[in-house]
Short mmCIF file of all heavy atoms in Angstrom, two decimals:
data_model
loop_
_atom_site.label_atom_id
_atom_site.label_comp_id
_atom_site.label_asym_id
_atom_site.label_seq_id
_atom_site.Cartn_x
_atom_site.Cartn_y
_atom_site.Cartn_z
N LEU A 1 -9.93 -1.69 10.33
CA LEU A 1 -8.96 -0.65 10.01
C LEU A 1 -9.55 0.50 9.20
O LEU A 1 -8.87 1.51 8.98
CB LEU A 1 -7.79 -1.27 9.25
CG LEU A 1 -6.91 -2.13 10.14
CD1 LEU A 1 -6.15 -3.15 9.34
CD2 LEU A 1 -5.97 -1.25 10.92
N ALA A 2 -10.79 0.36 8.77
CA ALA A 2 -11.51 1.45 8.11
C ALA A 2 -12.57 1.99 9.06
O ALA A 2 -12.91 1.36 10.07
CB ALA A 2 -12.17 0.96 6.82
N SER A 3 -13.12 3.15 8.73
CA SER A 3 -14.40 3.53 9.31
C SER A 3 -15.48 3.22 8.29
O SER A 3 -15.21 3.06 7.09
CB SER A 3 -14.43 5.02 9.70
OG SER A 3 -14.37 5.85 8.55
N TYR A 4 -16.73 3.13 8.78
CA TYR A 4 -17.83 2.66 7.94
C TYR A 4 -18.97 3.66 7.92
O TYR A 4 -19.11 4.48 8.83
CB TYR A 4 -18.31 1.29 8.46
CG TYR A 4 -17.27 0.22 8.24
CD1 TYR A 4 -16.17 0.10 9.06
CD2 TYR A 4 -17.37 -0.65 7.16
CE1 TYR A 4 -15.19 -0.85 8.83
CE2 TYR A 4 -16.40 -1.62 6.92
CZ TYR A 4 -15.31 -1.71 7.76
OH TYR A 4 -14.34 -2.65 7.53
N ARG A 5 -19.76 3.59 6.87
CA ARG A 5 -20.88 4.50 6.71
C ARG A 5 -21.98 4.21 7.74
O ARG A 5 -22.60 5.12 8.28
CB ARG A 5 -21.45 4.41 5.30
CG ARG A 5 -20.51 4.89 4.21
CD ARG A 5 -21.21 4.86 2.85
NE ARG A 5 -20.32 5.36 1.80
CZ ARG A 5 -19.49 4.61 1.09
NH1 ARG A 5 -19.43 3.30 1.33
NH2 ARG A 5 -18.72 5.14 0.16
N THR A 6 -22.24 2.93 7.96
CA THR A 6 -23.27 2.52 8.91
C THR A 6 -22.72 1.41 9.80
O THR A 6 -21.69 0.80 9.50
CB THR A 6 -24.52 1.98 8.18
OG1 THR A 6 -24.22 0.69 7.60
CG2 THR A 6 -24.97 2.94 7.08
N GLY A 7 -23.44 1.11 10.87
CA GLY A 7 -23.07 0.02 11.75
C GLY A 7 -23.71 -1.29 11.39
O GLY A 7 -23.69 -2.25 12.18
N ASP A 8 -24.28 -1.37 10.18
CA ASP A 8 -25.02 -2.57 9.78
C ASP A 8 -24.10 -3.73 9.44
O ASP A 8 -24.44 -4.89 9.67
CB ASP A 8 -25.91 -2.27 8.57
CG ASP A 8 -26.97 -1.24 8.89
OD1 ASP A 8 -27.36 -1.13 10.06
OD2 ASP A 8 -27.41 -0.54 7.95
N ASN A 9 -22.94 -3.44 8.82
CA ASN A 9 -22.08 -4.53 8.39
C ASN A 9 -20.66 -4.01 8.19
O ASN A 9 -20.44 -2.82 7.96
CB ASN A 9 -22.59 -5.16 7.09
CG ASN A 9 -22.57 -4.18 5.93
OD1 ASN A 9 -21.54 -3.97 5.28
ND2 ASN A 9 -23.71 -3.55 5.66
N ARG A 10 -19.71 -4.94 8.27
CA ARG A 10 -18.29 -4.62 8.05
C ARG A 10 -17.87 -5.25 6.72
O ARG A 10 -17.21 -6.27 6.68
CB ARG A 10 -17.45 -5.14 9.21
CG ARG A 10 -15.98 -4.74 9.12
CD ARG A 10 -15.17 -5.36 10.26
NE ARG A 10 -15.24 -6.80 10.29
CZ ARG A 10 -14.54 -7.62 9.50
NH1 ARG A 10 -13.70 -7.13 8.59
NH2 ARG A 10 -14.67 -8.93 9.61
N THR A 11 -18.28 -4.60 5.65
CA THR A 11 -17.92 -5.08 4.31
C THR A 11 -17.23 -3.96 3.55
O THR A 11 -17.34 -2.78 3.88
CB THR A 11 -19.18 -5.51 3.54
OG1 THR A 11 -20.06 -4.39 3.40
CG2 THR A 11 -19.89 -6.64 4.25
N GLY A 12 -16.52 -4.35 2.50
CA GLY A 12 -15.79 -3.37 1.72
C GLY A 12 -16.69 -2.32 1.10
O GLY A 12 -16.31 -1.16 0.97
N SER A 13 -17.91 -2.70 0.72
CA SER A 13 -18.82 -1.74 0.10
C SER A 13 -19.36 -0.72 1.08
O SER A 13 -19.92 0.31 0.66
CB SER A 13 -19.98 -2.50 -0.55
OG SER A 13 -20.72 -3.23 0.43
N ASN A 14 -19.20 -0.97 2.38
CA ASN A 14 -19.71 -0.05 3.42
C ASN A 14 -18.60 0.84 3.99
O ASN A 14 -18.87 1.67 4.85
CB ASN A 14 -20.37 -0.86 4.54
CG ASN A 14 -21.16 0.00 5.51
OD1 ASN A 14 -21.72 1.03 5.15
ND2 ASN A 14 -21.20 -0.41 6.77
N THR A 15 -17.37 0.68 3.53
CA THR A 15 -16.28 1.48 4.09
C THR A 15 -16.45 2.96 3.74
O THR A 15 -16.96 3.31 2.68
CB THR A 15 -14.91 1.00 3.60
OG1 THR A 15 -14.86 1.05 2.18
CG2 THR A 15 -14.63 -0.42 4.09
N LYS A 16 -15.98 3.81 4.65
CA LYS A 16 -16.12 5.26 4.47
C LYS A 16 -14.78 5.95 4.29
O LYS A 16 -14.57 6.67 3.31
CB LYS A 16 -16.86 5.85 5.67
CG LYS A 16 -17.09 7.37 5.58
CD LYS A 16 -17.93 7.86 6.75
CE LYS A 16 -18.21 9.35 6.62
NZ LYS A 16 -19.13 9.83 7.68
N LEU A 17 -13.86 5.73 5.24
CA LEU A 17 -12.57 6.42 5.21
C LEU A 17 -11.48 5.51 5.77
O LEU A 17 -11.75 4.54 6.47
CB LEU A 17 -12.63 7.71 6.05
CG LEU A 17 -13.55 8.82 5.55
CD1 LEU A 17 -13.74 9.87 6.64
CD2 LEU A 17 -13.00 9.46 4.27
N TYR A 18 -10.23 5.90 5.48
CA TYR A 18 -9.04 5.22 6.00
C TYR A 18 -8.05 6.28 6.48
O TYR A 18 -8.13 7.45 6.10
CB TYR A 18 -8.36 4.37 4.92
CG TYR A 18 -9.20 3.23 4.41
CD1 TYR A 18 -10.17 3.44 3.43
CD2 TYR A 18 -9.04 1.95 4.91
CE1 TYR A 18 -10.95 2.40 2.97
CE2 TYR A 18 -9.82 0.90 4.44
CZ TYR A 18 -10.77 1.13 3.47
OH TYR A 18 -11.54 0.10 3.01
N ARG A 19 -7.07 5.81 7.31
CA ARG A 19 -6.02 6.73 7.72
C ARG A 19 -4.65 6.06 7.77
O ARG A 19 -3.68 6.61 8.32
CB ARG A 19 -6.33 7.36 9.08
CG ARG A 19 -5.51 8.62 9.33
CD ARG A 19 -6.19 9.53 10.28
NE ARG A 19 -5.41 10.76 10.50
CZ ARG A 19 -5.92 11.97 10.45
NH1 ARG A 19 -7.20 12.13 10.14
NH2 ARG A 19 -5.18 13.02 10.70
N ALA A 20 -4.55 4.87 7.20
CA ALA A 20 -3.27 4.16 7.23
C ALA A 20 -3.25 3.08 6.15
O ALA A 20 -4.29 2.60 5.70
CB ALA A 20 -3.04 3.52 8.60
N ALA A 21 -2.04 2.69 5.78
CA ALA A 21 -1.79 1.46 5.04
C ALA A 21 -1.11 0.51 6.01
O ALA A 21 -0.53 0.93 7.01
CB ALA A 21 -0.91 1.73 3.83
N TRP A 22 -1.13 -0.79 5.69
CA TRP A 22 -0.61 -1.76 6.67
C TRP A 22 -0.10 -3.00 5.96
O TRP A 22 -0.40 -3.27 4.80
CB TRP A 22 -1.71 -2.15 7.65
CG TRP A 22 -2.94 -2.69 7.00
CD1 TRP A 22 -3.16 -3.96 6.55
CD2 TRP A 22 -4.13 -1.95 6.67
NE1 TRP A 22 -4.40 -4.07 5.98
CE2 TRP A 22 -5.02 -2.86 6.03
CE3 TRP A 22 -4.53 -0.63 6.87
CZ2 TRP A 22 -6.29 -2.47 5.60
CZ3 TRP A 22 -5.79 -0.24 6.42
CH2 TRP A 22 -6.65 -1.15 5.80
N THR A 23 0.67 -3.77 6.72
CA THR A 23 1.06 -5.11 6.28
C THR A 23 1.19 -6.01 7.49
O THR A 23 1.48 -5.54 8.60
CB THR A 23 2.38 -5.07 5.46
OG1 THR A 23 2.54 -6.28 4.76
CG2 THR A 23 3.58 -4.83 6.36
N ASP A 24 0.94 -7.29 7.30
CA ASP A 24 0.92 -8.29 8.36
C ASP A 24 1.95 -9.36 8.03
O ASP A 24 1.87 -10.00 6.97
CB ASP A 24 -0.48 -8.89 8.46
CG ASP A 24 -0.60 -9.97 9.53
OD1 ASP A 24 0.35 -10.16 10.31
OD2 ASP A 24 -1.66 -10.62 9.59
N ILE A 25 2.91 -9.57 8.94
CA ILE A 25 4.00 -10.52 8.71
C ILE A 25 3.93 -11.62 9.77
O ILE A 25 4.09 -11.36 10.96
CB ILE A 25 5.37 -9.83 8.77
CG1 ILE A 25 5.41 -8.62 7.83
CG2 ILE A 25 6.48 -10.81 8.43
CD1 ILE A 25 6.68 -7.79 7.95
N ASP A 26 3.67 -12.84 9.32
CA ASP A 26 3.66 -13.98 10.24
C ASP A 26 5.09 -14.43 10.54
O ASP A 26 6.01 -14.21 9.75
CB ASP A 26 2.88 -15.15 9.64
CG ASP A 26 1.38 -14.94 9.71
OD1 ASP A 26 0.93 -14.26 10.65
OD2 ASP A 26 0.67 -15.45 8.84
N VAL A 27 5.22 -15.08 11.68
CA VAL A 27 6.54 -15.57 12.13
C VAL A 27 6.37 -16.99 12.65
O VAL A 27 5.38 -17.33 13.31
CB VAL A 27 7.10 -14.66 13.24
CG1 VAL A 27 8.35 -15.28 13.87
CG2 VAL A 27 7.41 -13.27 12.70
N GLY A 28 7.34 -17.85 12.32
CA GLY A 28 7.37 -19.19 12.89
C GLY A 28 6.51 -20.21 12.18
O GLY A 28 6.37 -21.34 12.66
N LYS A 29 5.94 -19.84 11.04
CA LYS A 29 5.16 -20.78 10.24
C LYS A 29 5.94 -21.14 8.99
O LYS A 29 6.85 -20.40 8.60
CB LYS A 29 3.81 -20.15 9.85
CG LYS A 29 2.93 -19.78 11.02
CD LYS A 29 1.64 -19.13 10.53
CE LYS A 29 0.73 -18.73 11.67
NZ LYS A 29 -0.51 -18.06 11.20
N PRO A 30 5.59 -22.24 8.33
CA PRO A 30 6.29 -22.58 7.08
C PRO A 30 6.20 -21.45 6.05
O PRO A 30 5.14 -20.87 5.85
CB PRO A 30 5.54 -23.84 6.61
CG PRO A 30 4.98 -24.43 7.85
CD PRO A 30 4.62 -23.27 8.73
N GLY A 31 7.34 -21.12 5.45
CA GLY A 31 7.37 -20.08 4.45
C GLY A 31 7.42 -18.67 4.98
O GLY A 31 7.33 -17.71 4.21
N THR A 32 7.56 -18.52 6.31
CA THR A 32 7.64 -17.19 6.91
C THR A 32 9.00 -17.03 7.58
O THR A 32 9.89 -17.86 7.43
CB THR A 32 6.52 -16.98 7.94
OG1 THR A 32 6.74 -17.84 9.09
CG2 THR A 32 5.15 -17.29 7.34
N TYR A 33 9.15 -15.95 8.31
CA TYR A 33 10.41 -15.69 9.02
C TYR A 33 10.49 -16.53 10.29
O TYR A 33 9.48 -16.85 10.92
CB TYR A 33 10.53 -14.21 9.35
CG TYR A 33 10.56 -13.34 8.13
CD1 TYR A 33 9.41 -12.66 7.71
CD2 TYR A 33 11.71 -13.20 7.37
CE1 TYR A 33 9.43 -11.88 6.57
CE2 TYR A 33 11.75 -12.42 6.23
CZ TYR A 33 10.59 -11.76 5.83
OH TYR A 33 10.60 -10.98 4.70
N ALA A 34 11.72 -16.85 10.67
CA ALA A 34 11.92 -17.68 11.86
C ALA A 34 11.66 -16.91 13.14
O ALA A 34 11.17 -17.47 14.13
CB ALA A 34 13.34 -18.25 11.87
N THR A 35 11.99 -15.61 13.14
CA THR A 35 11.85 -14.80 14.34
C THR A 35 11.27 -13.43 13.99
O THR A 35 11.32 -12.99 12.83
CB THR A 35 13.21 -14.57 15.03
OG1 THR A 35 14.05 -13.78 14.16
CG2 THR A 35 13.89 -15.90 15.34
N GLN A 36 10.75 -12.74 14.99
CA GLN A 36 10.27 -11.37 14.78
C GLN A 36 11.42 -10.45 14.41
O GLN A 36 11.25 -9.54 13.59
CB GLN A 36 9.56 -10.87 16.04
CG GLN A 36 8.21 -11.53 16.27
CD GLN A 36 7.55 -11.07 17.55
OE1 GLN A 36 8.22 -10.89 18.57
NE2 GLN A 36 6.24 -10.90 17.52
N THR A 37 12.58 -10.67 14.98
CA THR A 37 13.75 -9.85 14.65
C THR A 37 14.08 -9.94 13.17
O THR A 37 14.36 -8.92 12.51
CB THR A 37 14.96 -10.28 15.49
OG1 THR A 37 14.66 -10.10 16.88
CG2 THR A 37 16.20 -9.46 15.14
N GLU A 38 14.04 -11.14 12.62
CA GLU A 38 14.31 -11.33 11.20
C GLU A 38 13.23 -10.66 10.35
O GLU A 38 13.52 -10.03 9.33
CB GLU A 38 14.36 -12.83 10.89
CG GLU A 38 14.71 -13.15 9.44
CD GLU A 38 14.69 -14.64 9.16
OE1 GLU A 38 14.54 -15.43 10.12
OE2 GLU A 38 14.82 -15.01 7.98
N ALA A 39 11.98 -10.76 10.78
CA ALA A 39 10.88 -10.14 10.04
C ALA A 39 11.02 -8.61 10.02
O ALA A 39 10.83 -7.97 8.98
CB ALA A 39 9.55 -10.53 10.67
N ILE A 40 11.37 -8.03 11.16
CA ILE A 40 11.51 -6.58 11.25
C ILE A 40 12.68 -6.10 10.40
O ILE A 40 12.59 -5.07 9.72
CB ILE A 40 11.66 -6.15 12.72
CG1 ILE A 40 10.35 -6.40 13.47
CG2 ILE A 40 12.07 -4.68 12.82
CD1 ILE A 40 10.47 -6.26 14.97
N ALA A 41 13.78 -6.84 10.40
CA ALA A 41 14.94 -6.46 9.58
C ALA A 41 14.57 -6.45 8.11
O ALA A 41 14.95 -5.54 7.36
CB ALA A 41 16.09 -7.41 9.84
N SER A 42 13.80 -7.43 7.66
CA SER A 42 13.38 -7.49 6.26
C SER A 42 12.42 -6.36 5.94
O SER A 42 12.48 -5.75 4.87
CB SER A 42 12.74 -8.85 5.98
OG SER A 42 12.44 -8.99 4.62
N LEU A 43 11.53 -6.05 6.87
CA LEU A 43 10.58 -4.95 6.69
C LEU A 43 11.32 -3.62 6.56
O LEU A 43 11.02 -2.81 5.67
CB LEU A 43 9.62 -4.91 7.88
CG LEU A 43 8.68 -3.72 7.96
CD1 LEU A 43 7.67 -3.74 6.82
CD2 LEU A 43 7.97 -3.71 9.32
N PHE A 44 12.29 -3.37 7.44
CA PHE A 44 13.03 -2.11 7.39
C PHE A 44 13.85 -2.01 6.11
O PHE A 44 14.03 -0.93 5.55
CB PHE A 44 13.93 -1.99 8.61
CG PHE A 44 13.21 -1.53 9.85
CD1 PHE A 44 11.85 -1.74 10.01
CD2 PHE A 44 13.88 -0.90 10.87
CE1 PHE A 44 11.17 -1.32 11.15
CE2 PHE A 44 13.23 -0.47 12.02
CZ PHE A 44 11.86 -0.69 12.16
N ASP A 45 14.34 -3.15 5.64
CA ASP A 45 15.07 -3.14 4.37
C ASP A 45 14.15 -2.74 3.23
O ASP A 45 14.54 -1.98 2.33
CB ASP A 45 15.68 -4.52 4.12
CG ASP A 45 16.45 -4.57 2.80
OD1 ASP A 45 17.48 -3.89 2.69
OD2 ASP A 45 16.00 -5.28 1.89
N LEU A 46 12.90 -3.25 3.24
CA LEU A 46 11.92 -2.85 2.24
C LEU A 46 11.70 -1.34 2.27
O LEU A 46 11.68 -0.68 1.22
CB LEU A 46 10.59 -3.56 2.50
CG LEU A 46 9.38 -3.05 1.71
CD1 LEU A 46 9.42 -3.59 0.28
CD2 LEU A 46 8.07 -3.44 2.39
N CYS A 47 11.57 -0.78 3.47
CA CYS A 47 11.30 0.66 3.60
C CYS A 47 12.47 1.48 3.06
O CYS A 47 12.27 2.43 2.29
CB CYS A 47 11.04 1.02 5.06
SG CYS A 47 9.48 0.37 5.70
#
């Protein structure tokens, strides 16, 4: 999700630029939402 200074490695110290923030929501696992619909509703409520 970042661009990098060189193609040698994908590490945080080699990152160059970004163009987005993000979040990842799992569904159907213990402690997560039961459905994608439920996850999206909770996400939109956060926004």
